[in-house]
Amino acid sequence: KGRCVADKKMITFLDDLNMPVKEIYGAQPPLELIRQWIGYGFWYDRKKQVRKYVKEMILMAAMGPPGGGRTVITDRLMTCFNIINITFPSEGQILRIFGTMLTQQLADFESEAKYVGPKITQATLDIYNAVIANMLPTPDKIHYLFNLRDISKVFQGLLRSNNKQQYTKEQMLRLWIHECFRVFYDRLINAKDQEWFLGALSAQLGLQFELTFNGVCPEKESPVFVDFMNPFAIYEDIQDIPKLRQHLEHQMGEYNESPGVVPIDLVLFKDAILHICRIVRVISQPRGNMLVVGMGGSGRQSLSRIAGYLCEYRNFSIEVTKSYRVQEFKDDLKDLYNKAGVELKPMAFIFSDTQVTEEAFMEIINNMLSSGEVPNLYKPEEFEEIKNKLSNAVAKAGLMQTTEAVFSFFIERVRSNLHIVLCMSPIGEAFRVRVRQYPGLVNCTTIDWFHEWPVEALLEVAEKYLIDINFLAEINESEATTAEREGRLEYQDAQRLLRTSVAKIFATVHHSVSDCSNEMRRQMKRHNYVTPVNYLELVVGYKSMLAEKRHSVKLSADKLRNGLFKIDETRAKVQVMSVELLDAQKQVAEFQQQCDDVLVKITQQKHEADVTQKEVSASKIKILEEEAVCKKLAAVAQADLDQAMPALEEAMRALDSLNKRDMTEVKSYGRPPPKVEMVMEAVMILKQADPTWAEAKRQLGQTNFLDQLREFDKDNISEKTLKKIAVYTANPEFEPEKVGIVTAALRLKQKLLAEAEAKLKELTDLLAKLEKEYEEKQLQKEELRKKAELLMAKLQRARALVDGLSGERSRWEATILSLEAEYRGLPGDCLMATAFLSYTGPFLTLYREKLLAKWKATVSIGPRRASAALPCRSCNAALAWDANGLQVNEFEIPTTEEFSAAKFLTDQTTIREWNIQGLPSDDFSTENGIIVTRCSRWPLLIDPQCQGMKWIKNMEADNDLAVIDLGQADFMKVLEHSIQYGKPVLLQNILEALDPSLTPILNKAVVKQGGQNLIKLSDKFVEYNFDFRLFITTKMSNPHYPPEICTKTTLVNFAVKEQAAGNCCEEREASAGGAQGETSAQHRCWPPHSDGNGGPAAKGYRPCAKRASILFFVLNDMSLIDPMYQFSLDVYIDLFVLSIAKSKKSDDLEERIGLLNNHHTYAVYTNTCRGLFERHKMLFSFHMCIKILEGMNKVNKTEYNFLLKGGWLSDTAWDNITELDKIAGFHGVVNTFEEHPTEWREWYIDKQPEELPLIGEWEDICTEFQKMLFVRSLRPDRISFCVSAFIVNNLGQPFVEPPVLDIKAVFDDSNPKTPLIFVLSPGVDPTGNLLQLAETLGMSDRFQSLSLGQGQAPIATKFVFERFACYEIQ
């Protein structure tokens, strides 16, 4: 872009010049633009309408020979170039180039290995020549493109040889065989091509080395070379596959423990191990890129991630969202290139074709593979940042710091550290188109084609999951018994044989579903892909279902056993209780007498207590009176004391004021003053000491004398001391008499009162004890009485229970035996049930019944008891070989005789609830309901009539169901909220592709971080609630979903069956004709019976239901003629209800049925013809006529097929006649032509041969329909007239006269909920007719007309909502 620097020219290299596809007229527009520039030097700028000159540019182009997607360019374009033909190198040149490299590699090898080098080179070239001559590209083998790169890849592997490993001729040849297999063999798509290559390789071994393939490879398959089994990365021959498996399992465990990765739980069977080794072999080499081709669900990405981990690469993949486009892809690639080119981190870029939201992605990938460059990946300022980061590395490499040099240096670093692993599916056209359009996908990668899992892989996977299942478990077996049985050799043999048989039946089931899918594709053009994901779901689901069902059955049996035990226990207890009751009654009588005796004694004691109580009360009154007197004295004394207290307190203060010096002073007196002496004598008397001065002086010398005075107990002075002290208190300064008298009197009265109260308490306690003893006797008496009554009641109830359950005992015992038999049959029942859930969803009833019948035949019908004594009775084997080469051991797997998936997987209560919620009551719909609610992957309902969607909405209405579609702008926000809070989501109306942003949800890619379950949506993690449920529906009747969607979802075919449509119509008829008091909604809630029929009223109208069902499926078949012909079941039911209302009434049921059938048949015809193209109306009438007659068993299907298809050998009349002669009833037709050639010629050349009688006896023995076969054979140009006459004779003249469009009739047949859509031919405008209709109906003021265009959608929406609001008000 822009101008080049002066004196410089730009060279533009254009690779694959002849890749553009020719248009319908043979031109190649891109090449014509190039020719225009070469011839005129400019292009036209269509926006600015000016010429745009491109100068100073030289165009250099390259192209391969035409073929394999490359076309032949025009001579006019070739004349614009100087052509140089680069021929393929000669054989000698190739031998010299690669022989020299190999000779140098083997220079220091042993002579035996060294001398095979030239022969290996020659053999490689011969193999290459044989491959390009025989393995030619076809539409199915578009990747069979080989060139010198493939030879170089062989030698690239040979150059990894080591003289310590390949030191013999055979060891060197094993390496060569391995590399040839990896380069050529791994891309072959079928066994035929693989056998051819093996033969070609064996021929070269014999020609060049005089060896055989089996002689070099005793294992009769390709050797395995890897470099990750030793620490020195030596490319070594691995012959110990179990050791290799153990190493890979260990590495896978380490990978799963890596933070932030989705754990991979794979069974590493041999094929998976080989695929990992093949991927590691490629991406571990310089610039090694891988193209992994296989059906979705085959493990391509998981194995690629493990391979990247083994190479110590960082796995990188993109997260696609709804708005993920080229710019977002480039942003991710910037991150990838930064890690690989700047940070020098080895990267494995795993890219799947499901992540291609724009085809431009593949162009970018093609550029990354071929050159490593992504055009316009960086803006100038962005690359400047990279340039600064690489400045030191560029300087160290000795390069100039120019943008071009740094960019080249950067790309080289990227290519050295980046390895691309492309995961693509061969299903559909996309793979073929991309291989043709993007040569780098084949040229710059090594291809590994993932085939269908072999039988060995299926068996190995199954046996891994079945290893810990006890197939011979008994319902009432103890752990000790189980341990004892498991130690017996014959028991172990039986377990091993049963495990092997179940594994082989798994494989048989898987192959049978694959065969059935192919049959359905051939017969009905319906596609279903059987992938390993289905098989894993089968195996894992079997294990969990067997455990669940065993627990459930055992729990039920234990409950019944417990009931029987309780019955026996109750009977025994009744006998014991009868004896106990007699004893209790005797004890009650005895104790009653004892109670009466005790009661008499208590009465006497109570009388004595009452007398004592009266005496005590009298004494108490007297004591209280005396106490009152004492209290008065005490009050007086207290008053005196209150007067004396200040003096006492003053004395105490005076005492406190004394100190040791005062004591010393008093002590110093030889003869104290009289008052002091008097005081000290009084003190000595109080202290009960000698009242002398000498004694007082001695105590004064004590250190604690003052403390003794302070602590003196002045309240407890004895009478003796008081009398002694009275001499001193007679002093006028003392008046203690009153205080002493009052104190003594009060103390005496209190003592008497206490004695009186103690005696009173003793009497009260005695009385309470007597009363308590009396009450206890009364309670014991009452308890004994109640106990006797309760015992009697229990005895009566127990006898009633035993008598009532005596009849149930036999039934319970029979039920236990039945549950034991069911328990033993669970291994086979669970096998068929899990197979039913895993595989049958996409199939119609016919195919489901075929599959179940085949599975029942494979699982030997039992049950046959696998007892402990004869543990091998369940293991008798009848060996056979099926069509897939699988050895089927028809072991007698324990199962029940009358297995039913519906009865085994659900119950009538649940089915009844589903029917109330809107699920049709036929068996097919019930099976669909079971699959939807029990499948392990999210269900995807093929629901053209929206019955499944309505059922789901009703079923999940109370669980806050969120309804979304991919057209909503915020559908991911709704999903995030529902995932966090565990709410159900209904994703409706999808097409054949799903938004890539749903991939983590469909894969349930939940990771655990920090104790939380998280799922990554877009660029953020959301907490995952396992209560979350997702339902997906599509209205497409026959969608073709790729394997990638089939593996992530469970397809469930909800297409309406004839039985379901008939049941619905039956209810409508009975509602209107036979049970007029009930509403149709009530009839939808009729209880379903085993045969799927309604009540008595509905049964009478069964012929009408059958006719209505036939007519609906006639309408359904019209979509095969033109996809525009789509008919809704709800609208059809409305039409049927209208026919019930408008048809003639009759009290005679048969006449009423005939009138209703005729009216409804013509109503269907007239309503349908309004929407059909004219050329399809006669076909519709004939198809309707044939189907009605088929329902009446009046059409021979063989004859009808002949009418449709004619003779199989050729299109000539004679060949048709010879084919007609082979049909039963027409033998001898050829002889008639030989006997009456003239008559037949006249009949043949007549203008209207259909009106002439047939020749010979055929006129008398042929029906009208059979006569049409002669017309079809000889005069197919007149068949339409025959068909018209046939319709008239069977249905009537109106059915060949399409009605003229009557808009008034159309309006009368419609309702406000169903819009009318006019499909117009060019130049037709119904607006005038609509205006006239509005005037006729008086609705001109409510008629609104709008032409849709840009900006008119909101106005149209407003009109619709306004009219709808008016309708609701009315």
Side-chain angles (χ1 to χ4, degrees), residues 83-234:
I83 299 176
I84 301 175
N85 184 21
I86 302 177
T87 60
F88 194 80
S90 65
E91 183 173 328
Q93 292 172 328
I94 296 175
L95 290 174
R96 182 177 181 183
I97 293 171
F98 293 106
T100 302
M101 289 190 295
L102 187 57
T103 300
Q104 292 177 353
Q105 170 69 15
L106 302 178
D108 57 348
F109 279 54
E110 296 292 335
S111 58
E112 184 180 355
K114 184 187 304 183
Y115 292 144
V116 300
K119 290 186 178 182
I120 286 179
T121 305
Q122 183 63 54
T124 304
L125 183 58
D126 291 344
I127 284 287
Y128 171 77
N129 290 330
V131 167
I132 61 175
N134 294 276
M135 299 289 101
L136 300 175
T138 65
D140 290 336
K141 307 172 185 177
I142 193 67
H143 61 291
Y144 279 19
L145 302 171
F146 304 92
N147 51 44
L148 279 177
R149 286 190 178 95
D150 298 300
I151 300 179
S152 67
K153 290 174 184 176
V154 174
F155 282 88
Q156 190 176 14
L158 292 173
L159 295 179
R160 301 179 72 181
S161 59
N162 186 277
N163 57 7
K164 300 294 178 60
Q165 294 286 332
Q166 288 80 35
Y167 51 85
T168 66
K169 174 182 177 180
E170 287 74 13
Q171 290 170 341
M172 195 67 200
L173 288 178
R174 285 178 64 86
L175 176 59
W176 174 70
I177 291 172
H178 173 264
E179 297 307 312
C180 289
F181 264 81
R182 300 292 75 81
V183 174
F184 300 109
Y185 183 90
D186 288 347
R187 74 173 65 187
L188 304 181
I189 69 171
N190 54 44
K192 180 181 177 181
D193 292 349
Q194 292 174 341
E195 290 174 2
W196 175 89
F197 178 81
L198 189 59
L201 188 67
S202 299
Q204 288 300 317
L205 285 172
L207 179 64
Q208 300 289 345
F209 308 102
E210 298 181 353
L211 293 172
T212 63
F213 179 78
N214 292 343
V216 179
C217 303
E219 61 272 20
K220 298 181 181 180
E221 58 185 10
S222 168
V224 179
F225 280 79
V226 299
D227 63 354
F228 54 79
M229 290 290 288
N230 58 81
F232 308 104
I234 296 176

Side-chain angles (χ1 to χ4, degrees), residues 175 192 328 363 582 615 620 682 775 804 837-838 868 980 991 1128 1146 1181 1287:
L175 176 59
K192 180 181 177 181
E328 288 75 18
E363 180 67 34
L582 293 176
E615 292 176 356
K620 186 177 181 179
E775 291 176 357
L837 292 175
S838 301
Q980 286 180 310
L991 300 178
S1128 166
S1146 174
S1181 297
I1287 295 171

Side-chain angles (χ1 to χ4, degrees), residues 561-773:
R561 286 198 189 93
N562 186 53
L564 293 177
F565 172 76
K566 291 297 183 182
I567 291 176
D568 296 338
E569 184 183 28
T570 302
R571 183 179 286 110
K573 285 183 177 180
V574 166
Q575 297 175 355
V576 174
M577 288 170 61
S578 300
V579 176
E580 290 179 352
L581 181 60
L582 293 176
D583 294 341
Q585 289 174 343
K586 291 180 181 179
Q587 292 177 3
V588 168
E590 293 174 358
F591 202 83
Q592 179 66 39
Q593 183 61 41
Q594 293 177 5
C595 287
D596 293 340
D597 295 342
V598 171
L599 183 61
V600 172
K601 183 177 179 181
I602 290 174
T603 303
Q604 294 175 354
Q605 291 180 352
K606 187 176 182 181
H607 176 71
E608 294 175 0
D610 290 340
V611 173
T612 304
Q613 176 69 23
K614 290 179 181 179
E615 292 176 356
V616 170
S617 298
S619 300
K620 186 177 181 179
I621 293 172
K622 184 176 180 181
I623 291 172
L624 290 175
E625 291 175 352
E626 293 177 355
E627 184 179 4
V629 174
C630 290
K631 286 182 178 180
K632 290 181 180 179
L633 294 175
V636 173
Q638 184 64 38
D640 295 340
L641 181 61
D642 290 340
Q643 293 179 359
M645 282 303 294
L648 177 61
E649 292 174 356
E650 181 64 27
M652 290 298 295
R653 286 195 295 270
L655 183 62
D656 291 337
S657 64
L658 295 177
N659 52 32
K660 188 175 182 180
R661 189 179 60 186
D662 297 331
M663 295 298 100
T664 302
E665 181 182 352
V666 175
K667 181 181 176 182
S668 64
Y669 293 147
R671 182 69 180 178
K675 291 183 179 180
V676 173
E677 185 177 7
M678 179 182 64
V679 171
M680 292 307 297
E681 288 177 356
V683 170
M684 293 300 105
I685 291 173
L686 288 175
K687 296 186 67 178
Q688 296 183 354
D690 187 12
T692 63
W693 170 246
E695 178 64 21
K697 188 174 181 180
R698 185 185 66 80
Q699 291 193 13
L700 283 173
Q702 296 178 357
T703 57
N704 59 346
F705 178 75
L706 291 177
D707 293 335
Q708 290 177 359
L709 294 181
R710 293 189 187 98
E711 295 173 358
F712 180 73
D713 188 6
K714 53 186 176 295
D715 296 326
N716 294 300
I717 303 174
S718 64
E719 292 293 331
K720 183 179 179 180
T721 303
L722 289 175
K723 290 179 179 180
K724 289 181 179 181
I725 203 68
V727 177
Y728 298 92
T729 57
N731 192 293
E733 297 179 1
F734 294 92
E735 296 181 358
E737 292 82 1
K738 291 183 180 180
V739 176
I741 294 172
V742 172
T743 301
L746 180 59
R747 190 176 296 116
L748 177 62
K749 296 300 181 182
Q750 287 177 346
K751 181 178 180 182
L752 294 176
L753 179 60
E755 291 175 354
E757 288 178 347
K759 188 174 181 180
L760 177 61
K761 185 176 184 305
E762 180 180 354
L763 292 174
T764 303
D765 291 343
L766 178 61
L767 181 60
K769 180 179 180 181
L770 293 174
E771 291 177 349
K772 182 178 180 182
E773 183 178 357

Side-chain angles (χ1 to χ4, degrees), residues 37 55 77 151-152 232 327 345 440 559 588 686 725 802 824 879 886 972 1034 1078 1131 1141 1189 1191 1302 1331 1370:
W37 173 78
K55 298 183 177 182
L77 181 61
I151 300 179
S152 67
F232 308 104
Q327 186 55 49
K345 294 178 180 178
K559 288 180 179 178
V588 168
L686 288 175
I725 203 68
V802 171
R824 289 192 294 272
L879 302 183
L886 175 68
M972 283 303 296
T1034 178
E1078 300 180 21
V1131 174
L1189 294 177
D1302 184 354
L1331 285 170
Q1370 294 173 358

